[in-house]
Amino acid sequence: MNVNLIDIMSLPFMQRALLGALITGLIAPSLGIYLVQRRMSLIGDGIGHIALTGVGVGLLTGTSPVLTAIGVSALGAVAVELIRERGRTSGDIALAILFYGGIAGGVFLVGLAPGKGSANLTSYLFGSLLTTSATDLVTIAILGACVLAVTVGLRPWLFAICQDEEYAKVSGLPVRALNLLLAVMTAVTVTVAMRSVGLLLVSALMVVPVAAAQLVSRGFGGTMTLAMLGGVISAGAGILVSAGYDTAPGATIVLAAIALFMLVAAVGTALRRRRRAEPAPATACDPPECVLDS
Amino acid sequence: MNADGGNPPVLEIKHGAVAYDRPVLRDVNLTVRSGEVVAVLGANGSGKSTMIRAGLGLVPLAEGQVELFGVPLPRFRQWKRIGYVPQRLGAGGGVPATVGEVVSSGRLARRGFPGLLRGDDRQAVARALAAVDLTDRAGDPVASLSGGQQQRTLIARALAGEPDLLVLDEPTAGVDAKSQEAFAQALRDFVRHGGTVLLVAHELGPLQPVITRAVVVHDGVIAHDGAVPHPAGHHAEPGHDHVHPHAPQDPPSIWGRE
């Protein structure tokens, strides 16, 4: 199987698939960390639903589905952000209508498009890495660079608005503009990930590496770095496994990310247990963790 | 501007009214002048937190207006002059953040957008951490700190921005005595360097000597504005948080061994 795998990975389309997957694995957690911090882990999933309507519009009008997906999902993400900003309880229902409307609209429009069957729909729902063309790869790279410029370049500001939005307001930060920027970048990330893991599994690659990273990290910057590393490892491992066993790359990447999470959780638990079992080191010279005062 | 013979006002609420479902504040007038240390006192639900939050524009006024440093709130842009300390750290979604990261976000009002963290930013963060006695915890996740230490982290975040006015929402609620002392010291230093303070408190504790004026809010209106009310024996009050250190415990075994 090893020789086989090397043969497979020497094929240009597999190399493009690997590169596309690695870019997705890098950028999805860098954005997902802000969603997780806001307790909006599942929002990526919802934006993915909305993006499907964009795909439908693209297929129906004969324009690039990636571009229309970005446009429609960006509009959807802005709507989600405005609903969040209001903070009403009825917002929950509004989100449900938006998300299911998005996926239903997509399926409906794809059905109207001439000569586009359900096979085409599946490739957007679950990814179609193996058909990534050189042009697709350029698009993915450019969009990925935009996302990274925002998520890494503006980290202190985005951290501030996600950590404590009121404090950010009193600091005079352009909170609303930053929130909308984050929403639009969520839409862009979803669209990039649509090619690799598909719209239904986008959220996993945004959230699972972050969940794994925060099991072992101490700070926000550290979590972000580890999550991006975890995303890249999952994407790479997922592609190799899918090439070896001829499984769907998107689903395999997501399973690899979940396996990584479970591995980190298990190792972390074992380490903690061992630390507890060991006799405590001489505490005489260490300052106590906390002191109870009267 | 100085008609009252005092320093220029840094925060002014004129005929402020706030209503959610029912009126929370009614025709409130408050002027905090430069150099003052004003404590807003009142029972839970009296509207005292709402008042200072309205003063910062975090709660919209139904009527009246707010001026910060003599500028009406809608036109106010010099946010770097204000340091805000909320009641508690937002829980976040479980993504860890270090004390240093949280305190560093206090520099954002002074940093260019987007700009790099410069040397003077780092120095200000280090000074703020030292002022609340948390320098050695800078690399620790805030979630691992005690409530009092988390509160001090938030105060350091506000101090890191080198503000002229500190606005604090119940900074001493549920805070251990050591943190209260560290906080009172940080506040004294801030005032000595010419800072102005507006704080909401349930009880003053070690802050008492620092306060220059007290405003008591009762049922949405200002019931008292002037001298600090004499403490009515806080130690006797049921709300007084009295914590005992736990002695090294060796519970007697039921088997009678040892």
Side-chain angles (χ1 to χ4, degrees):
Chain A
M1 187 203 115
N2 269 342
V3 181
N4 208 353
L5 191 59
I6 292 168
D7 282 348
I8 293 174
M9 289 318 294
S10 65
L11 297 171
F13 78 90
M14 279 309 291
Q15 290 168 355
R16 284 198 297 271
L18 180 65
L19 210 51
L22 291 179
I23 293 173
T24 314
L26 187 70
I27 66 164
S30 83
L31 186 113
I33 189 170
Y34 299 108
L35 304 182
V36 173
Q37 197 188 15
R38 275 224 162 122
R39 296 183 187 280
M40 296 181 77
S41 304
L42 294 175
I43 232 61
D45 199 39
I47 306 294
H49 285 36
I50 297 170
L52 197 67
T53 291
V55 170
V57 170
L59 292 179
L60 191 60
T61 58
T63 31
S64 157
V66 170
L67 292 183
T68 49
I70 287 184
V72 172
S73 58
L75 284 178
V78 167
V80 168
E81 169 53 28
L82 295 178
I83 291 169
R84 189 196 67 84
E85 194 184 84
R86 298 273 156 79
R88 303 254 179 241
T89 41
S90 58
D92 192 36
I93 302 292
L95 291 184
I97 291 172
L98 200 59
F99 296 165
Y100 300 122
I103 207 156
V107 175
F108 181 81
L109 290 175
V110 170
L112 284 183
K116 306 287 179 184
S118 57
N120 210 321
L121 197 60
T122 310
S123 74
Y124 291 100
L125 288 177
F126 299 106
S128 57
L129 262 180
L130 302 183
T131 62
T132 308
S133 68
T135 327
D136 289 337
L137 205 54
V138 170
T139 313
I140 289 175
I142 291 173
L143 293 177
C146 293
V147 172
L148 275 189
V150 170
T151 57
V152 177
L154 298 184
R155 190 174 82 204
W157 290 269
L158 296 176
F159 168 74
I161 61 164
C162 292
Q163 171 83 16
D164 190 341
E165 191 166 313
E166 291 200 333
Y167 180 79
K169 264 182 203 156
V170 179
S171 294
L173 300 190
V175 172
R176 189 163 210 197
L178 286 168
N179 276 329
L180 292 177
L181 182 66
L182 195 60
V184 171
M185 284 303 133
T186 308
V188 173
T189 307
V190 163
T191 314
V192 171
M194 170 171 87
R195 286 311 302 254
S196 43
V197 291
L199 293 172
L200 289 185
L201 291 172
V202 162
S203 208
L205 212 47
M206 288 183 172
V207 172
V208 178
V210 177
Q214 68 187 22
L215 289 176
V216 289
S217 57
R218 298 170 73 77
F220 192 82
T223 308
M224 192 181 211
T225 310
L226 283 179
M228 289 164 75
L229 186 69
V232 168
I233 291 173
S234 309
I239 288 292
L240 292 183
V241 170
S242 81
Y245 292 92
D246 192 22
T247 52
T252 316
I253 289 171
V254 171
L255 287 178
I258 292 172
L260 187 67
F261 170 80
M262 284 160 60
L263 184 72
V264 171
V267 170
T269 311
L271 283 181
R272 269 193 297 278
R273 232 178 244 150
R274 184 197 261 183
R275 215 173 293 154
R276 219 174 296 149
E278 273 173 12
T283 49
C285 49
D286 288 350
E289 184 78 349
C290 67
V291 180
L292 283 176
D293 285 296
S294 57
Chain B
M1 204 170 183
N2 295 1
D4 292 68
N7 292 327
V10 294
L11 186 146
E12 249 188 314
I13 303 176
K14 296 172 183 167
H15 304 290
V18 174
Y20 296 124
D21 295 329
R22 55 183 185 81
V24 180
L25 287 180
R26 287 168 284 150
D27 195 30
V28 164
N29 290 287
L30 175 72
T31 304
V32 178
R33 293 178 182 284
S34 175
E36 279 192 302
V37 182
V38 178
V40 179
L41 305 167
N44 288 334
S46 59
K48 58 187 193 299
S49 275
T50 305
M51 184 168 80
I52 65 157
R53 288 164 57 76
L56 295 173
L58 291 173
V59 171
L61 283 181
E63 280 167 51
Q65 50 197 298
V66 172
E67 281 187 13
L68 293 169
F69 295 93
V71 180
L73 185 65
R75 287 197 280 116
F76 183 73
R77 294 290 175 270
Q78 296 176 292
W79 291 103
K80 63 183 176 190
R81 302 185 71 178
I82 295 178
Y84 172 56
V85 181
Q87 246 175 51
R88 57 183 59 86
L89 190 70
V95 180
T98 64
V99 172
E101 283 174 329
V102 172
V103 174
S104 295
S105 59
R107 288 301 290 177
L108 290 176
R110 291 201 171 260
R111 277 166 78 175
F113 174 77
L116 293 171
L117 199 66
R118 293 190 315 266
D120 52 342
D121 293 321
R122 289 201 185 85
Q123 283 163 19
V125 169
R127 274 198 304 275
L129 282 169
V132 298
D133 197 16
L134 278 180
T135 305
D136 54 338
R137 304 301 299 265
D140 290 346
V142 277
S144 72
L145 304 186
S146 72
Q149 289 168 331
Q150 290 189 5
Q151 196 62 45
R152 275 146 67 189
T153 304
L154 297 183
I155 291 160
R157 176 175 68 176
L159 289 176
E162 300 174 309
D164 298 323
L165 168 67
L166 261 187
V167 180
L168 310 102
D169 196 351
E170 302 231 25
T172 54
V175 168
D176 56 282
K178 180 171 179 251
S179 286
Q180 288 213 22
E181 276 304 332
F183 167 60
Q185 186 56 47
L187 214 56
R188 275 194 290 272
D189 291 344
F190 178 74
V191 173
R192 204 178 58 235
H193 290 100
T196 309
V197 177
L198 174 62
L199 65 90
V200 165
H202 197 65
E203 53 175 301
L204 292 175
L207 301 180
Q208 179 91 28
V210 195
I211 309 296
T212 61
R213 195 176 122 211
V215 172
V216 178
V217 180
H218 180 70
D219 204 15
V221 294
I222 290 179
H224 168 88
D225 187 346
V228 182
H230 207 269
H234 276 303
H235 285 266
E237 283 179 10
H240 180 71
D241 196 11
H242 202 77
V243 184
H244 285 283
H246 287 275
Q249 278 191 338
D250 272 318
S253 160
I254 55 166
W255 304 113
R257 284 187 283 125
E258 295 177 14

